[in-house]
Amino acid sequence: MLTTKVGLQMPPQMAYDEWERAGHQLVGVLDSSCWWLGDWLKYGKDHYTDRYQRGIRAAGLSYQTLRNYAWVSRRFDLARRRSALSFQHHAELASMPTGEQEVWLDRAERRQWTTKQLRAALRAARQGGGEPARPPLEPSRRLEVPGSRVQRWHKAAEQEGVDFEQWVMTTLDSAAANALEDRGEREEHKEAVSA
C-alpha cells in the first residue's frame, strides 16, 4: 500500500486479511493523530506562548478542534491513556475527576464498550438508572471467548434492550438454574426408582 497526502493506493490483488489489517492500522493512525495533535499543542503552549497562535494557524485545523485535542491530552497524561480505548472514549470522560475517569476507563476497557455504549452508560448513571461510578466490590474473572460469539451475544443483548454484561449474567444464571434443577430432578428420580 502507498499512502499519499490525497489518497491510498492499494495493490489490485490484495488478500482480505491484508485489507482488514490495513483498515485497523488506518483507524489506529486516525485515533493516534488526535493524541499527537493534542500533545503537540500542549508543548507549543508551554514552550512558545508568544508564537502559539501562529502555530495553530499553520496547522490548518480549526482552533476549537485543536483546543479540544489539547484539553483531552492535558486531562490524561501519557501514563493514564488506554491504548485499548479510543481518543473519543477519553474525551467522553475528560471533564470528570481523575478517580471517576479511572473507574469508567476500567469499565469501558473491561467490557469493550464502543464510545456510544460508554456514553449511554454515563447517561444512565447520571439519571440514577445506571451503575454508580465506583469500583466493583467483587473481583472480576476473565473468560476467553471467541470474538464471533461475543459479537453474537452483544447483538442478542442489544435486541433485548439490556446491558451486555447484565444479559450475560442473566443468561448464565438461568442456564445454571436449569442445569441444577435438571440434576436435582434426575437425582430425585434415581432415589424414587431405587426405593
Side-chain angles (χ1 to χ4, degrees), residues 34-49 52-57 59 61-71 73-74:
C34 296
W35 288 117
W36 298 336
L37 284 166
D39 291 338
W40 171 77
L41 208 58
K42 281 183 359 190
Y43 184 91
K45 185 163 185 146
D46 294 346
H47 292 84
Y48 311 111
T49 52
Y52 173 71
Q53 294 293 334
R54 191 175 82 190
I56 290 173
R57 284 191 300 276
L61 288 174
S62 83
Y63 176 72
Q64 190 59 49
T65 299
L66 289 174
R67 263 187 66 166
N68 290 344
Y69 292 164
W71 180 68
S73 293
R74 281 194 193 286

PDB file of all heavy atoms in Angstrom, residues 34-49 52-57 59 61-71 73-74:
ATOM      1  N   CYS A  34      -5.165  12.317  16.945  1.00  0.00           N
ATOM      2  CA  CYS A  34      -5.818  13.229  17.896  1.00  0.00           C
ATOM      3  C   CYS A  34      -4.918  13.446  19.105  1.00  0.00           C
ATOM      4  O   CYS A  34      -4.747  14.584  19.565  1.00  0.00           O
ATOM      5  CB  CYS A  34      -7.172  12.668  18.344  1.00  0.00           C
ATOM      6  SG  CYS A  34      -8.385  12.526  17.025  1.00  0.00           S
ATOM      7  N   TRP A  35      -4.350  12.356  19.623  1.00  0.00           N
ATOM      8  CA  TRP A  35      -3.426  12.472  20.751  1.00  0.00           C
ATOM      9  C   TRP A  35      -2.192  13.266  20.342  1.00  0.00           C
ATOM     10  O   TRP A  35      -1.711  14.122  21.074  1.00  0.00           O
ATOM     11  CB  TRP A  35      -3.001  11.095  21.254  1.00  0.00           C
ATOM     12  CG  TRP A  35      -4.041  10.320  21.981  1.00  0.00           C
ATOM     13  CD1 TRP A  35      -4.582   9.116  21.604  1.00  0.00           C
ATOM     14  CD2 TRP A  35      -4.657  10.640  23.244  1.00  0.00           C
ATOM     15  NE1 TRP A  35      -5.487   8.688  22.543  1.00  0.00           N
ATOM     16  CE2 TRP A  35      -5.553   9.609  23.561  1.00  0.00           C
ATOM     17  CE3 TRP A  35      -4.534  11.714  24.122  1.00  0.00           C
ATOM     18  CZ2 TRP A  35      -6.320   9.601  24.718  1.00  0.00           C
ATOM     19  CZ3 TRP A  35      -5.300  11.723  25.282  1.00  0.00           C
ATOM     20  CH2 TRP A  35      -6.180  10.669  25.564  1.00  0.00           C
ATOM     21  N   TRP A  36      -1.645  12.945  19.153  1.00  0.00           N
ATOM     22  CA  TRP A  36      -0.432  13.608  18.692  1.00  0.00           C
ATOM     23  C   TRP A  36      -0.646  15.112  18.584  1.00  0.00           C
ATOM     24  O   TRP A  36       0.194  15.896  19.029  1.00  0.00           O
ATOM     25  CB  TRP A  36       0.011  13.045  17.349  1.00  0.00           C
ATOM     26  CG  TRP A  36       0.357  11.582  17.356  1.00  0.00           C
ATOM     27  CD1 TRP A  36       0.754  10.830  18.423  1.00  0.00           C
ATOM     28  CD2 TRP A  36       0.321  10.700  16.248  1.00  0.00           C
ATOM     29  NE1 TRP A  36       0.971   9.528  18.037  1.00  0.00           N
ATOM     30  CE2 TRP A  36       0.718   9.416  16.698  1.00  0.00           C
ATOM     31  CE3 TRP A  36       0.001  10.848  14.904  1.00  0.00           C
ATOM     32  CZ2 TRP A  36       0.807   8.315  15.865  1.00  0.00           C
ATOM     33  CZ3 TRP A  36       0.093   9.747  14.063  1.00  0.00           C
ATOM     34  CH2 TRP A  36       0.492   8.495  14.539  1.00  0.00           C
ATOM     35  N   LEU A  37      -1.761  15.507  17.973  1.00  0.00           N
ATOM     36  CA  LEU A  37      -2.037  16.937  17.825  1.00  0.00           C
ATOM     37  C   LEU A  37      -2.253  17.598  19.191  1.00  0.00           C
ATOM     38  O   LEU A  37      -1.792  18.716  19.416  1.00  0.00           O
ATOM     39  CB  LEU A  37      -3.251  17.159  16.922  1.00  0.00           C
ATOM     40  CG  LEU A  37      -2.979  16.964  15.428  1.00  0.00           C
ATOM     41  CD1 LEU A  37      -4.288  16.863  14.655  1.00  0.00           C
ATOM     42  CD2 LEU A  37      -2.116  18.099  14.897  1.00  0.00           C
ATOM     43  N   GLY A  38      -2.945  16.909  20.084  1.00  0.00           N
ATOM     44  CA  GLY A  38      -3.143  17.451  21.427  1.00  0.00           C
ATOM     45  C   GLY A  38      -1.833  17.650  22.155  1.00  0.00           C
ATOM     46  O   GLY A  38      -1.604  18.698  22.775  1.00  0.00           O
ATOM     47  N   ASP A  39      -0.950  16.654  22.074  1.00  0.00           N
ATOM     48  CA  ASP A  39       0.353  16.759  22.738  1.00  0.00           C
ATOM     49  C   ASP A  39       1.212  17.837  22.073  1.00  0.00           C
ATOM     50  O   ASP A  39       1.932  18.578  22.750  1.00  0.00           O
ATOM     51  CB  ASP A  39       1.080  15.408  22.713  1.00  0.00           C
ATOM     52  CG  ASP A  39       0.403  14.372  23.608  1.00  0.00           C
ATOM     53  OD1 ASP A  39      -0.337  14.758  24.535  1.00  0.00           O
ATOM     54  OD2 ASP A  39       0.617  13.170  23.372  1.00  0.00           O
ATOM     55  N   TRP A  40       1.133  17.931  20.752  1.00  0.00           N
ATOM     56  CA  TRP A  40       1.863  18.961  20.014  1.00  0.00           C
ATOM     57  C   TRP A  40       1.423  20.355  20.475  1.00  0.00           C
ATOM     58  O   TRP A  40       2.247  21.230  20.725  1.00  0.00           O
ATOM     59  CB  TRP A  40       1.614  18.772  18.512  1.00  0.00           C
ATOM     60  CG  TRP A  40       2.128  19.879  17.646  1.00  0.00           C
ATOM     61  CD1 TRP A  40       3.428  20.093  17.271  1.00  0.00           C
ATOM     62  CD2 TRP A  40       1.353  20.921  17.054  1.00  0.00           C
ATOM     63  NE1 TRP A  40       3.506  21.212  16.469  1.00  0.00           N
ATOM     64  CE2 TRP A  40       2.234  21.732  16.320  1.00  0.00           C
ATOM     65  CE3 TRP A  40       0.004  21.242  17.060  1.00  0.00           C
ATOM     66  CZ2 TRP A  40       1.816  22.841  15.608  1.00  0.00           C
ATOM     67  CZ3 TRP A  40      -0.427  22.345  16.345  1.00  0.00           C
ATOM     68  CH2 TRP A  40       0.478  23.131  15.633  1.00  0.00           C
ATOM     69  N   LEU A  41       0.131  20.516  20.626  1.00  0.00           N
ATOM     70  CA  LEU A  41      -0.418  21.805  21.045  1.00  0.00           C
ATOM     71  C   LEU A  41      -0.025  22.139  22.484  1.00  0.00           C
ATOM     72  O   LEU A  41       0.339  23.281  22.781  1.00  0.00           O
ATOM     73  CB  LEU A  41      -1.936  21.756  20.910  1.00  0.00           C
ATOM     74  CG  LEU A  41      -2.614  23.069  20.643  1.00  0.00           C
ATOM     75  CD1 LEU A  41      -2.086  23.714  19.383  1.00  0.00           C
ATOM     76  CD2 LEU A  41      -4.111  22.862  20.509  1.00  0.00           C
ATOM     77  N   LYS A  42      -0.087  21.141  23.367  1.00  0.00           N
ATOM     78  CA  LYS A  42       0.337  21.362  24.763  1.00  0.00           C
ATOM     79  C   LYS A  42       1.779  21.840  24.800  1.00  0.00           C
ATOM     80  O   LYS A  42       2.115  22.785  25.501  1.00  0.00           O
ATOM     81  CB  LYS A  42       0.240  20.052  25.564  1.00  0.00           C
ATOM     82  CG  LYS A  42      -1.120  19.683  26.027  1.00  0.00           C
ATOM     83  CD  LYS A  42      -1.165  18.425  26.879  1.00  0.00           C
ATOM     84  CE  LYS A  42       0.121  17.713  27.122  1.00  0.00           C
ATOM     85  NZ  LYS A  42       0.009  16.406  27.750  1.00  0.00           N
ATOM     86  N   TYR A  43       2.613  21.170  24.052  1.00  0.00           N
ATOM     87  CA  TYR A  43       4.025  21.532  24.013  1.00  0.00           C
ATOM     88  C   TYR A  43       4.192  22.969  23.512  1.00  0.00           C
ATOM     89  O   TYR A  43       4.934  23.759  24.085  1.00  0.00           O
ATOM     90  CB  TYR A  43       4.798  20.564  23.113  1.00  0.00           C
ATOM     91  CG  TYR A  43       6.283  20.818  23.105  1.00  0.00           C
ATOM     92  CD1 TYR A  43       7.114  20.175  24.014  1.00  0.00           C
ATOM     93  CD2 TYR A  43       6.857  21.708  22.195  1.00  0.00           C
ATOM     94  CE1 TYR A  43       8.478  20.408  24.019  1.00  0.00           C
ATOM     95  CE2 TYR A  43       8.218  21.949  22.191  1.00  0.00           C
ATOM     96  CZ  TYR A  43       9.019  21.300  23.103  1.00  0.00           C
ATOM     97  OH  TYR A  43      10.372  21.539  23.119  1.00  0.00           O
ATOM     98  N   GLY A  44       3.500  23.297  22.444  1.00  0.00           N
ATOM     99  CA  GLY A  44       3.580  24.633  21.882  1.00  0.00           C
ATOM    100  C   GLY A  44       3.149  25.697  22.870  1.00  0.00           C
ATOM    101  O   GLY A  44       3.806  26.740  23.009  1.00  0.00           O
ATOM    102  N   LYS A  45       2.061  25.433  23.574  1.00  0.00           N
ATOM    103  CA  LYS A  45       1.570  26.423  24.546  1.00  0.00           C
ATOM    104  C   LYS A  45       2.561  26.579  25.699  1.00  0.00           C
ATOM    105  O   LYS A  45       2.784  27.678  26.191  1.00  0.00           O
ATOM    106  CB  LYS A  45       0.208  26.003  25.075  1.00  0.00           C
ATOM    107  CG  LYS A  45      -0.397  27.051  25.978  1.00  0.00           C
ATOM    108  CD  LYS A  45      -1.854  26.847  26.170  1.00  0.00           C
ATOM    109  CE  LYS A  45      -2.379  28.014  26.985  1.00  0.00           C
ATOM    110  NZ  LYS A  45      -3.699  28.388  26.635  1.00  0.00           N
ATOM    111  N   ASP A  46       3.158  25.461  26.132  1.00  0.00           N
ATOM    112  CA  ASP A  46       4.104  25.507  27.252  1.00  0.00           C
ATOM    113  C   ASP A  46       5.450  26.141  26.873  1.00  0.00           C
ATOM    114  O   ASP A  46       6.111  26.736  27.719  1.00  0.00           O
ATOM    115  CB  ASP A  46       4.353  24.094  27.797  1.00  0.00           C
ATOM    116  CG  ASP A  46       3.112  23.488  28.445  1.00  0.00           C
ATOM    117  OD1 ASP A  46       2.148  24.245  28.721  1.00  0.00           O
ATOM    118  OD2 ASP A  46       3.089  22.255  28.648  1.00  0.00           O
ATOM    119  N   HIS A  47       5.858  26.013  25.606  1.00  0.00           N
ATOM    120  CA  HIS A  47       7.191  26.451  25.209  1.00  0.00           C
ATOM    121  C   HIS A  47       7.227  27.699  24.322  1.00  0.00           C
ATOM    122  O   HIS A  47       8.259  28.362  24.245  1.00  0.00           O
ATOM    123  CB  HIS A  47       7.927  25.315  24.491  1.00  0.00           C
ATOM    124  CG  HIS A  47       8.268  24.180  25.398  1.00  0.00           C
ATOM    125  ND1 HIS A  47       7.379  23.164  25.706  1.00  0.00           N
ATOM    126  CD2 HIS A  47       9.397  23.911  26.096  1.00  0.00           C
ATOM    127  CE1 HIS A  47       7.949  22.322  26.536  1.00  0.00           C
ATOM    128  NE2 HIS A  47       9.171  22.744  26.793  1.00  0.00           N
ATOM    129  N   TYR A  48       6.147  27.983  23.631  1.00  0.00           N
ATOM    130  CA  TYR A  48       6.146  29.102  22.676  1.00  0.00           C
ATOM    131  C   TYR A  48       4.896  29.965  22.858  1.00  0.00           C
ATOM    132  O   TYR A  48       4.169  30.229  21.906  1.00  0.00           O
ATOM    133  CB  TYR A  48       6.191  28.595  21.236  1.00  0.00           C
ATOM    134  CG  TYR A  48       7.265  27.561  20.987  1.00  0.00           C
ATOM    135  CD1 TYR A  48       6.937  26.244  20.732  1.00  0.00           C
ATOM    136  CD2 TYR A  48       8.616  27.922  21.033  1.00  0.00           C
ATOM    137  CE1 TYR A  48       7.915  25.294  20.503  1.00  0.00           C
ATOM    138  CE2 TYR A  48       9.605  26.971  20.816  1.00  0.00           C
ATOM    139  CZ  TYR A  48       9.248  25.660  20.555  1.00  0.00           C
ATOM    140  OH  TYR A  48      10.228  24.731  20.340  1.00  0.00           O
ATOM    141  N   THR A  49       4.656  30.405  24.051  1.00  0.00           N
ATOM    142  CA  THR A  49       3.412  31.130  24.333  1.00  0.00           C
ATOM    143  C   THR A  49       3.212  32.326  23.415  1.00  0.00           C
ATOM    144  O   THR A  49       2.089  32.618  23.016  1.00  0.00           O
ATOM    145  CB  THR A  49       3.370  31.595  25.800  1.00  0.00           C
ATOM    146  OG1 THR A  49       4.567  32.308  26.090  1.00  0.00           O
ATOM    147  CG2 THR A  49       3.232  30.421  26.741  1.00  0.00           C
ATOM    148  N   TYR A  52       2.355  30.737  19.801  1.00  0.00           N
ATOM    149  CA  TYR A  52       1.404  29.626  19.866  1.00  0.00           C
ATOM    150  C   TYR A  52       0.280  29.774  18.835  1.00  0.00           C
ATOM    151  O   TYR A  52      -0.015  28.842  18.089  1.00  0.00           O
ATOM    152  CB  TYR A  52       0.870  29.582  21.293  1.00  0.00           C
ATOM    153  CG  TYR A  52      -0.239  28.626  21.591  1.00  0.00           C
ATOM    154  CD1 TYR A  52      -0.003  27.259  21.623  1.00  0.00           C
ATOM    155  CD2 TYR A  52      -1.517  29.080  21.890  1.00  0.00           C
ATOM    156  CE1 TYR A  52      -1.017  26.379  21.939  1.00  0.00           C
ATOM    157  CE2 TYR A  52      -2.535  28.212  22.204  1.00  0.00           C
ATOM    158  CZ  TYR A  52      -2.276  26.863  22.221  1.00  0.00           C
ATOM    159  OH  TYR A  52      -3.276  25.986  22.532  1.00  0.00           O
ATOM    160  N   GLN A  53      -0.340  30.929  18.774  1.00  0.00           N
ATOM    161  CA  GLN A  53      -1.452  31.165  17.848  1.00  0.00           C
ATOM    162  C   GLN A  53      -0.999  30.995  16.401  1.00  0.00           C
ATOM    163  O   GLN A  53      -1.739  30.455  15.577  1.00  0.00           O
ATOM    164  CB  GLN A  53      -2.063  32.561  18.058  1.00  0.00           C
ATOM    165  CG  GLN A  53      -2.752  32.743  19.391  1.00  0.00           C
ATOM    166  CD  GLN A  53      -4.006  31.896  19.519  1.00  0.00           C
ATOM    167  OE1 GLN A  53      -4.639  31.533  18.543  1.00  0.00           O
ATOM    168  NE2 GLN A  53      -4.363  31.558  20.748  1.00  0.00           N
ATOM    169  N   ARG A  54       0.190  31.446  16.085  1.00  0.00           N
ATOM    170  CA  ARG A  54       0.722  31.312  14.715  1.00  0.00           C
ATOM    171  C   ARG A  54       0.874  29.831  14.357  1.00  0.00           C
ATOM    172  O   ARG A  54       0.554  29.414  13.243  1.00  0.00           O
ATOM    173  CB  ARG A  54       2.054  32.042  14.604  1.00  0.00           C
ATOM    174  CG  ARG A  54       2.520  32.165  13.161  1.00  0.00           C
ATOM    175  CD  ARG A  54       3.759  32.985  13.062  1.00  0.00           C
ATOM    176  NE  ARG A  54       4.904  32.139  13.381  1.00  0.00           N
ATOM    177  CZ  ARG A  54       6.128  32.588  13.566  1.00  0.00           C
ATOM    178  NH1 ARG A  54       6.380  33.875  13.504  1.00  0.00           N
ATOM    179  NH2 ARG A  54       7.117  31.776  13.841  1.00  0.00           N
ATOM    180  N   GLY A  55       1.331  29.035  15.302  1.00  0.00           N
ATOM    181  CA  GLY A  55       1.472  27.594  15.070  1.00  0.00           C
ATOM    182  C   GLY A  55       0.136  26.923  14.821  1.00  0.00           C
ATOM    183  O   GLY A  55       0.022  26.030  13.978  1.00  0.00           O
ATOM    184  N   ILE A  56      -0.890  27.346  15.538  1.00  0.00           N
ATOM    185  CA  ILE A  56      -2.232  26.783  15.351  1.00  0.00           C
ATOM    186  C   ILE A  56      -2.731  27.090  13.937  1.00  0.00           C
ATOM    187  O   ILE A  56      -3.252  26.213  13.247  1.00  0.00           O
ATOM    188  CB  ILE A  56      -3.214  27.349  16.408  1.00  0.00           C
ATOM    189  CG1 ILE A  56      -2.868  26.795  17.782  1.00  0.00           C
ATOM    190  CG2 ILE A  56      -4.651  27.011  16.049  1.00  0.00           C
ATOM    191  CD1 ILE A  56      -3.668  27.409  18.910  1.00  0.00           C
ATOM    192  N   ARG A  57      -2.552  28.335  13.515  1.00  0.00           N
ATOM    193  CA  ARG A  57      -2.982  28.711  12.148  1.00  0.00           C
ATOM    194  C   ARG A  57      -2.226  27.895  11.104  1.00  0.00           C
ATOM    195  O   ARG A  57      -2.785  27.470  10.108  1.00  0.00           O
ATOM    196  CB  ARG A  57      -2.792  30.205  11.913  1.00  0.00           C
ATOM    197  CG  ARG A  57      -3.843  31.059  12.598  1.00  0.00           C
ATOM    198  CD  ARG A  57      -3.789  32.509  12.147  1.00  0.00           C
ATOM    199  NE  ARG A  57      -2.498  33.156  12.429  1.00  0.00           N
ATOM    200  CZ  ARG A  57      -2.173  33.707  13.604  1.00  0.00           C
ATOM    201  NH1 ARG A  57      -3.017  33.717  14.600  1.00  0.00           N
ATOM    202  NH2 ARG A  57      -0.979  34.257  13.763  1.00  0.00           N
ATOM    203  N   ALA A  59      -1.146  24.906  11.351  1.00  0.00           N
ATOM    204  CA  ALA A  59      -1.612  23.517  11.311  1.00  0.00           C
ATOM    205  C   ALA A  59      -2.803  23.359  10.376  1.00  0.00           C
ATOM    206  O   ALA A  59      -3.029  22.285   9.810  1.00  0.00           O
ATOM    207  CB  ALA A  59      -1.981  23.050  12.713  1.00  0.00           C
ATOM    208  N   LEU A  61      -6.058  23.391  11.067  1.00  0.00           N
ATOM    209  CA  LEU A  61      -7.300  22.872  11.652  1.00  0.00           C
ATOM    210  C   LEU A  61      -7.991  23.985  12.420  1.00  0.00           C
ATOM    211  O   LEU A  61      -7.362  24.982  12.790  1.00  0.00           O
ATOM    212  CB  LEU A  61      -7.004  21.705  12.602  1.00  0.00           C
ATOM    213  CG  LEU A  61      -6.583  20.403  11.965  1.00  0.00           C
ATOM    214  CD1 LEU A  61      -6.186  19.397  13.037  1.00  0.00           C
ATOM    215  CD2 LEU A  61      -7.704  19.825  11.108  1.00  0.00           C
ATOM    216  N   SER A  62      -9.250  23.781  12.694  1.00  0.00           N
ATOM    217  CA  SER A  62      -9.983  24.809  13.431  1.00  0.00           C
ATOM    218  C   SER A  62      -9.424  24.936  14.848  1.00  0.00           C
ATOM    219  O   SER A  62      -9.003  23.953  15.462  1.00  0.00           O
ATOM    220  CB  SER A  62     -11.475  24.486  13.476  1.00  0.00           C
ATOM    221  OG  SER A  62     -11.767  23.581  14.515  1.00  0.00           O
ATOM    222  N   TYR A  63      -9.437  26.141  15.339  1.00  0.00           N
ATOM    223  CA  TYR A  63      -8.931  26.430  16.676  1.00  0.00           C
ATOM    224  C   TYR A  63      -9.657  25.588  17.718  1.00  0.00           C
ATOM    225  O   TYR A  63      -9.044  25.007  18.603  1.00  0.00           O
ATOM    226  CB  TYR A  63      -9.095  27.935  16.965  1.00  0.00           C
ATOM    227  CG  TYR A  63      -8.678  28.324  18.358  1.00  0.00           C
ATOM    228  CD1 TYR A  63      -7.332  28.345  18.712  1.00  0.00           C
ATOM    229  CD2 TYR A  63      -9.625  28.662  19.311  1.00  0.00           C
ATOM    230  CE1 TYR A  63      -6.942  28.696  19.995  1.00  0.00           C
ATOM    231  CE2 TYR A  63      -9.240  29.020  20.596  1.00  0.00           C
ATOM    232  CZ  TYR A  63      -7.902  29.034  20.926  1.00  0.00           C
ATOM    233  OH  TYR A  63      -7.519  29.373  22.191  1.00  0.00           O
ATOM    234  N   GLN A  64     -10.984  25.481  17.598  1.00  0.00           N
ATOM    235  CA  GLN A  64     -11.760  24.734  18.585  1.00  0.00           C
ATOM    236  C   GLN A  64     -11.394  23.249  18.578  1.00  0.00           C
ATOM    237  O   GLN A  64     -11.272  22.626  19.628  1.00  0.00           O
ATOM    238  CB  GLN A  64     -13.266  24.916  18.326  1.00  0.00           C
ATOM    239  CG  GLN A  64     -14.138  24.366  19.437  1.00  0.00           C
ATOM    240  CD  GLN A  64     -13.851  25.008  20.795  1.00  0.00           C
ATOM    241  OE1 GLN A  64     -13.798  26.225  20.912  1.00  0.00           O
ATOM    242  NE2 GLN A  64     -13.656  24.199  21.817  1.00  0.00           N
ATOM    243  N   THR A  65     -11.205  22.682  17.398  1.00  0.00           N
ATOM    244  CA  THR A  65     -10.813  21.267  17.301  1.00  0.00           C
ATOM    245  C   THR A  65      -9.492  21.036  18.011  1.00  0.00           C
ATOM    246  O   THR A  65      -9.358  20.116  18.824  1.00  0.00           O
ATOM    247  CB  THR A  65     -10.704  20.847  15.822  1.00  0.00           C
ATOM    248  OG1 THR A  65     -11.974  21.005  15.200  1.00  0.00           O
ATOM    249  CG2 THR A  65     -10.250  19.405  15.686  1.00  0.00           C
ATOM    250  N   LEU A  66      -8.521  21.883  17.711  1.00  0.00           N
ATOM    251  CA  LEU A  66      -7.212  21.734  18.347  1.00  0.00           C
ATOM    252  C   LEU A  66      -7.293  21.956  19.853  1.00  0.00           C
ATOM    253  O   LEU A  66      -6.636  21.252  20.622  1.00  0.00           O
ATOM    254  CB  LEU A  66      -6.206  22.686  17.713  1.00  0.00           C
ATOM    255  CG  LEU A  66      -5.773  22.321  16.293  1.00  0.00           C
ATOM    256  CD1 LEU A  66      -4.892  23.411  15.709  1.00  0.00           C
ATOM    257  CD2 LEU A  66      -5.051  20.987  16.271  1.00  0.00           C
ATOM    258  N   ARG A  67      -8.079  22.932  20.269  1.00  0.00           N
ATOM    259  CA  ARG A  67      -8.243  23.169  21.709  1.00  0.00           C
ATOM    260  C   ARG A  67      -8.832  21.948  22.393  1.00  0.00           C
ATOM    261  O   ARG A  67      -8.419  21.577  23.500  1.00  0.00           O
ATOM    262  CB  ARG A  67      -9.168  24.363  21.942  1.00  0.00           C
ATOM    263  CG  ARG A  67      -8.432  25.628  22.188  1.00  0.00           C
ATOM    264  CD  ARG A  67      -9.361  26.717  22.575  1.00  0.00           C
ATOM    265  NE  ARG A  67      -9.958  26.408  23.882  1.00  0.00           N
ATOM    266  CZ  ARG A  67     -10.609  27.274  24.608  1.00  0.00           C
ATOM    267  NH1 ARG A  67     -10.785  28.493  24.175  1.00  0.00           N
ATOM    268  NH2 ARG A  67     -11.103  26.945  25.771  1.00  0.00           N
ATOM    269  N   ASN A  68      -9.799  21.288  21.758  1.00  0.00           N
ATOM    270  CA  ASN A  68     -10.391  20.071  22.329  1.00  0.00           C
ATOM    271  C   ASN A  68      -9.339  18.970  22.458  1.00  0.00           C
ATOM    272  O   ASN A  68      -9.269  18.286  23.481  1.00  0.00           O
ATOM    273  CB  ASN A  68     -11.563  19.591  21.485  1.00  0.00           C
ATOM    274  CG  ASN A  68     -12.761  20.502  21.582  1.00  0.00           C
ATOM    275  OD1 ASN A  68     -12.875  21.339  22.481  1.00  0.00           O
ATOM    276  ND2 ASN A  68     -13.664  20.367  20.629  1.00  0.00           N
ATOM    277  N   TYR A  69      -8.528  18.790  21.420  1.00  0.00           N
ATOM    278  CA  TYR A  69      -7.476  17.781  21.466  1.00  0.00           C
ATOM    279  C   TYR A  69      -6.513  18.063  22.620  1.00  0.00           C
ATOM    280  O   TYR A  69      -6.148  17.164  23.376  1.00  0.00           O
ATOM    281  CB  TYR A  69      -6.685  17.727  20.157  1.00  0.00           C
ATOM    282  CG  TYR A  69      -7.437  17.227  18.948  1.00  0.00           C
ATOM    283  CD1 TYR A  69      -6.935  17.440  17.672  1.00  0.00           C
ATOM    284  CD2 TYR A  69      -8.642  16.541  19.059  1.00  0.00           C
ATOM    285  CE1 TYR A  69      -7.600  16.980  16.545  1.00  0.00           C
ATOM    286  CE2 TYR A  69      -9.315  16.087  17.943  1.00  0.00           C
ATOM    287  CZ  TYR A  69      -8.789  16.307  16.680  1.00  0.00           C
ATOM    288  OH  TYR A  69      -9.446  15.861  15.575  1.00  0.00           O
ATOM    289  N   ALA A  70      -6.109  19.315  22.743  1.00  0.00           N
ATOM    290  CA  ALA A  70      -5.167  19.689  23.804  1.00  0.00           C
ATOM    291  C   ALA A  70      -5.785  19.507  25.179  1.00  0.00           C
ATOM    292  O   ALA A  70      -5.123  19.036  26.110  1.00  0.00           O
ATOM    293  CB  ALA A  70      -4.710  21.138  23.609  1.00  0.00           C
ATOM    294  N   TRP A  71      -7.058  19.865  25.318  1.00  0.00           N
ATOM    295  CA  TRP A  71      -7.736  19.745  26.611  1.00  0.00           C
ATOM    296  C   TRP A  71      -7.777  18.279  27.055  1.00  0.00           C
ATOM    297  O   TRP A  71      -7.447  17.949  28.194  1.00  0.00           O
ATOM    298  CB  TRP A  71      -9.141  20.335  26.513  1.00  0.00           C
ATOM    299  CG  TRP A  71      -9.912  20.263  27.785  1.00  0.00           C
ATOM    300  CD1 TRP A  71      -9.664  20.940  28.939  1.00  0.00           C
ATOM    301  CD2 TRP A  71     -11.061  19.448  28.049  1.00  0.00           C
ATOM    302  NE1 TRP A  71     -10.595  20.607  29.903  1.00  0.00           N
ATOM    303  CE2 TRP A  71     -11.461  19.682  29.378  1.00  0.00           C
ATOM    304  CE3 TRP A  71     -11.797  18.556  27.279  1.00  0.00           C
ATOM    305  CZ2 TRP A  71     -12.550  19.054  29.959  1.00  0.00           C
ATOM    306  CZ3 TRP A  71     -12.889  17.928  27.852  1.00  0.00           C
ATOM    307  CH2 TRP A  71     -13.249  18.185  29.179  1.00  0.00           C
ATOM    308  N   SER A  73      -5.839  15.862  26.023  1.00  0.00           N
ATOM    309  CA  SER A  73      -4.454  15.441  26.264  1.00  0.00           C
ATOM    310  C   SER A  73      -3.950  15.918  27.627  1.00  0.00           C
ATOM    311  O   SER A  73      -3.220  15.192  28.307  1.00  0.00           O
ATOM    312  CB  SER A  73      -3.530  15.979  25.165  1.00  0.00           C
ATOM    313  OG  SER A  73      -3.839  15.357  23.940  1.00  0.00           O
ATOM    314  N   ARG A  74      -4.341  17.117  28.035  1.00  0.00           N
ATOM    315  CA  ARG A  74      -3.939  17.615  29.357  1.00  0.00           C
ATOM    316  C   ARG A  74      -4.634  16.840  30.481  1.00  0.00           C
ATOM    317  O   ARG A  74      -4.063  16.634  31.547  1.00  0.00           O
ATOM    318  CB  ARG A  74      -4.274  19.091  29.501  1.00  0.00           C
ATOM    319  CG  ARG A  74      -3.298  19.999  28.838  1.00  0.00           C
ATOM    320  CD  ARG A  74      -3.479  21.445  29.293  1.00  0.00           C
ATOM    321  NE  ARG A  74      -2.742  22.361  28.445  1.00  0.00           N
ATOM    322  CZ  ARG A  74      -1.436  22.516  28.458  1.00  0.00           C
ATOM    323  NH1 ARG A  74      -0.704  21.825  29.296  1.00  0.00           N
ATOM    324  NH2 ARG A  74      -0.846  23.376  27.644  1.00  0.00           N
TER     325      ARG A  74
END
